């Protein structure tokens, strides 16, 4: 995440109080002007579903997969 987004800092949120399963949000925090709450806690509304552009989300997913597995091999031993 840090290699792709190059954030000023990363917020890691483990949530599960209102939703019946624990899940994580890894949120790259940016400089003032692009960060919705610079220097403060991230508002929960910013994490709402549907906020990300689908094409950008898919492009980011491909880039993260490439960073995790640059050889393109499955990693499964035979």
């Amino acid at each position: 995440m840090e290699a792709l987004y190059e954030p000023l800092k990363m917020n890691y949120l483990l949530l599960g109080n209102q939703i019946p399963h624990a899940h994580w949000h890894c949120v790259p925090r940016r400089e003032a002007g692009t960060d919705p709450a610079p220097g403060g806690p991230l508002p929960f509304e910013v994490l709402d579903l549907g906020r990300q552009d689908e094409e950008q989300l898919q492009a980011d997913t491909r880039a993260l997969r490439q960073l995790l597995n640059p050889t393109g091999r499955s990693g499964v031993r035979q």
Side-chain angles (χ1 to χ4, degrees), residues 15-34:
L15 305 170
N17 289 340
Q18 296 178 4
I19 301 171
H21 66 279
H23 64 278
W24 286 89
H25 289 270
C26 300
V27 183
R29 301 300 297 269
R30 311 242 185 242
E31 61 277 347
T34 60

Side-chain angles (χ1 to χ4, degrees), residues 8 21 30 44-45 59 68:
L8 295 177
H21 66 279
R30 311 242 185 242
F44 191 75
E45 307 83 61
L68 289 170

Side-chain angles (χ1 to χ4, degrees), residues 40-53:
L42 193 67
F44 191 75
E45 307 83 61
V46 174
L47 302 174
D48 287 346
L49 296 174
R51 283 192 160 301
Q52 297 81 18
D53 174 70

